[in-house]
Amino acid sequence: MSSKNRLTEAAYQCLPGGPLDIDRAFMISFVLPIRSGKAWEVRKGDICRIIAVGRTDRLAILNIWSLHNPRERFWASRTRQLQRAHVSVYDRLWSTLPYLRPLVTISGDSLKDYGVDGSGIDAEGGRVHDLLGTRCDPYVNRMLTGEDNDYHCHSNLTRAVAPYGLTEFDVHDVLNTCPAKKGDYFEFIAETDILCALSTCPGGDLSKAMWGEGATEATTADPTLECCRPLGVEVYRLPDGWLTERGWKEAMPNGRAYKGGHALKEVLFASTGKS
């Protein structure tokens, strides 16, 4: 250790491969710039954390697919029915038919106690991570304004998944989160191998109007730019065997249990005669 670093470096040093030397292969991290999108893989049993790295953020505009079969993807509306409209720790994000299995389980949420009384619920009964809305898109923008604008969450997600052979037909309704402050995070464990895609919303934290009177009265041509913040993503791989030793198993599709055949052999039901 050089003398000039003695006051700032660790007092105890170890050789490469020693107990203080972190195997960085077990952690993947990146920062997603404003108004952009990125896709990444998360293997079953890995922990993924999305982090607000700016002052305020819309924390997540998130899509999820089965890595090996993109026909299986996150189903926001069914998750809302099986779990709740505003999800948090221990809730699961479920996949589409005929698979119907949890793709991820939420394992951490710094905003779980967000609310007017610290209970995690606001005055209207809402929480932070919601399944109620969808993504902004250039088609609605064109319909409402008559102008083309490629910078929407739908566009960000479309560009993000293109390297994986997916298109905008694969982009689907989202997990949507706002507000958040620097350091807040949303974390989940992958219940099977998944592909995630994230958009940093072009509308930022939505503190300024994107459309309508509030937007047209703005003093700048791009009123929401100052509201946009980057997001950080970290993926952690747990030591081999750590989860299985504690009884964890990969989630299997529940649809395999259904053997009814969707009534392909038609059954004619007799009328009761009542109107």
Side-chain angles (χ1 to χ4, degrees):
M1 183 189 306
S2 64
S3 59
K4 68 177 181 179
N5 291 330
R6 290 185 64 86
L7 296 179
T8 57
E9 296 289 340
Y12 294 92
Q13 301 291 316
C14 72
L15 296 174
L20 302 181
D21 190 19
I22 297 174
D23 184 354
R24 296 179 183 272
F26 282 91
M27 183 176 70
I28 304 170
S29 62
F30 59 88
V31 173
L32 185 60
I34 67 170
R35 293 181 166 176
S36 64
K38 184 176 178 62
W40 70 98
E41 299 176 10
V42 184
R43 299 292 176 170
K44 59 185 178 183
D46 285 0
I47 304 293
C48 181
R49 176 176 285 195
I50 302 170
I51 308 169
V53 295
R55 295 191 304 275
T56 57
D57 280 284
R58 170 176 285 223
L59 186 52
I61 306 292
L62 183 65
N63 269 196
I64 304 174
W65 298 262
S66 166
L67 179 62
H68 308 295
N69 176 20
R71 285 188 174 183
E72 181 182 7
R73 60 193 190 184
F74 170 48
W75 192 4
S77 57
R78 183 65 86 210
T79 299
R80 186 169 67 243
Q81 294 175 320
L82 292 174
Q83 304 288 171
R84 44 184 169 170
H86 297 80
V87 293
S88 190
V89 179
Y90 305 128
D91 288 324
R92 306 178 117 179
L93 306 184
W94 293 78
S95 67
T96 50
L97 298 177
Y99 311 100
L100 194 61
R101 63 171 162 178
L103 293 174
V104 308
T105 298
I106 301 170
S107 54
D109 176 10
S110 67
L111 295 167
K112 61 183 176 59
D113 295 324
Y114 170 84
V116 294
D117 59 359
S119 67
I121 302 173
D122 67 15
E124 285 74 39
R127 295 175 64 90
V128 177
H129 314 293
D130 75 80
L131 304 171
L132 299 173
T134 186
R135 62 218 179 266
C136 58
D137 67 84
Y139 304 98
V140 170
N141 188 95
R142 178 72 185 183
M143 181 178 70
L144 296 179
T145 69
E147 298 178 356
D148 290 327
N149 183 345
D150 288 341
Y151 288 93
H152 292 269
C153 286
H154 180 85
S155 304
N156 289 346
L157 294 169
T158 298
R159 293 194 306 274
V161 299
Y164 291 87
L166 305 186
T167 72
E168 68 175 311
F169 292 103
D170 298 294
V171 174
H172 53 274
D173 277 353
V174 301
L175 172 68
N176 190 11
T177 301
C178 190
K181 62 183 183 298
K182 185 175 181 179
D184 280 330
Y185 65 88
F186 178 82
E187 179 187 277
F188 55 82
I189 182 172
E191 298 287 357
T192 187
D193 293 340
I194 58 174
L195 175 68
C196 297
L198 187 69
S199 168
T200 47
C201 182
D205 61 12
L206 300 185
S207 60
K208 293 184 180 294
M210 297 178 68
W211 296 287
E213 183 177 351
T216 58
E217 291 179 351
T219 56
T220 64
D222 195 350
T224 62
L225 180 60
E226 65 185 59
C227 308
C228 296
R229 306 285 184 266
L231 291 173
V233 173
E234 296 178 350
V235 179
Y236 299 91
R237 182 153 299 157
L238 299 176
D240 290 342
W242 192 91
L243 284 171
T244 54
E245 290 171 0
R246 289 158 177 79
W248 181 88
K249 295 180 180 179
E250 179 181 4
M252 293 290 107
N254 286 288
R256 294 176 179 175
Y258 173 68
K259 300 295 188 296
H262 299 293
L264 294 177
K265 183 177 180 181
E266 186 178 8
V267 175
L268 299 178
F269 296 94
S271 172
T272 62
K274 298 180 180 179
S275 58

